[in-house]
Amino acid sequence: MSQTDARRRLLFAFSPVALVAICASIQITAGRYVGVWAWVPTMLGFWLAIAFLLHKYPGSRPRQRFQRASGSRFWSILALLAGLLSLHGFLGNWTLLANTQLIAAWLVFALVNPWFEESYWRGLLIDSTASWGKFASLLYSSAWFAVSHPLIWGIHSLPLRKPEAVGALLFVGLIWGLAYQRTGSLRWCVAGHMLANLLGLAALVLLNIYDPTIR
């Protein structure tokens, strides 16, 4: 790797600072007009920013990150199982999906967002910090994934400000990051993330309709 590429990768490694700042600004500004629904324009900005970073990343290989998983199937299965941790909460609260608008928001967010989040938090961040060592890279990407939620979405979402929520996000982030490191693929990380967002009623959490930390 050339020194120029190494420097560029370092810049991408610290890109979460800019990403969080930009999205938090959108969230605050949009919140003045649409309240808790500010997550919608913020999410669009979030996706656009990630798409830009993926396109500009040195030796950009977004599609290669979704190649067939290699190594033991254990890691792929574990990535999928992480998404089932919210099943109990879903079974007890699915009736909160009370109208078409909420159902549409729930489905679109759950099925689209994981592609962007996994491509960035796991794919780009772990790849750009690979020279730090596997453990440091894994911890760094997972920590940013966890704290980005209260820093961005927690501006309006009360549940995402709670330590329990951040801890749970760190836990699943570590699992998905480890799965990516061991298999070289984000396929099952995305699948697990979709399950987590569907069963965790993620859109309702953003709207303060559902709090998964309350049992």
Side-chain angles (χ1 to χ4, degrees):
M1 184 192 305
S2 68
Q3 286 189 343
T4 301
D5 275 354
R7 288 177 189 146
R8 288 185 67 194
R9 285 175 189 266
L10 187 60
L11 286 174
F12 279 90
F14 291 105
S15 63
V17 177
L19 181 64
V20 167
I22 291 169
C23 292
S25 298
I26 298 173
Q27 184 84 321
I28 292 169
T29 303
R32 296 170 184 166
Y33 303 97
V34 294
V36 292
W37 283 94
W39 69 268
V40 175
T42 305
M43 191 62 65
L44 293 174
F46 181 66
W47 292 345
L48 285 172
I50 288 176
F52 174 79
L53 290 167
L54 291 172
H55 177 68
K56 292 294 183 180
Y57 184 74
S60 182
R61 57 184 192 100
R63 292 183 181 178
Q64 292 180 20
R65 294 189 180 108
F66 293 95
Q67 64 189 346
R68 185 174 182 177
S70 61
S72 172
R73 291 184 180 178
F74 169 80
W75 301 107
S76 298
I77 294 171
L78 185 64
L80 194 62
L81 290 177
L84 295 174
L85 293 174
S86 301
L87 178 59
H88 177 74
F90 176 79
L91 293 176
N93 296 278
W94 66 270
T95 53
L96 293 174
L97 295 164
N99 57 57
T100 304
Q101 185 181 34
L102 290 179
I103 293 172
W106 169 63
L107 287 174
V108 171
F109 177 80
L111 298 178
V112 176
N113 186 57
W115 294 95
F116 289 91
E117 290 221 66
E118 291 306 311
S119 292
Y120 180 72
W121 299 119
R122 251 61 68 185
L124 188 149
L125 269 196
I126 286 180
D127 287 352
S128 64
T129 57
S131 62
W132 300 5
K134 286 189 174 182
F135 178 75
S137 179
L138 173 65
L139 187 60
Y140 181 77
S141 66
S142 302
W144 265 115
F145 170 68
V147 301
S148 71
H149 284 73
L151 292 177
I152 300 174
W153 318 112
I155 290 172
H156 294 294
S157 173
L158 300 179
L160 291 178
R161 300 177 188 175
K162 296 185 177 182
E164 307 97 292
V166 178
L169 288 161
L170 177 61
F171 179 69
V172 294
L174 288 167
I175 290 176
W176 290 329
L178 192 57
Y180 176 56
Q181 286 183 330
R182 295 302 182 95
T183 66
S185 175
L186 291 172
R187 282 188 184 185
W188 293 102
C189 300
V190 168
H193 202 146
M194 284 181 178
L195 277 176
N197 283 352
L198 285 168
L199 299 178
L201 299 168
L204 303 191
V205 174
L206 291 168
L207 292 167
N208 291 320
I209 295 174
Y210 171 57
D211 185 345
T213 68
I214 297 176
R215 300 297 181 184

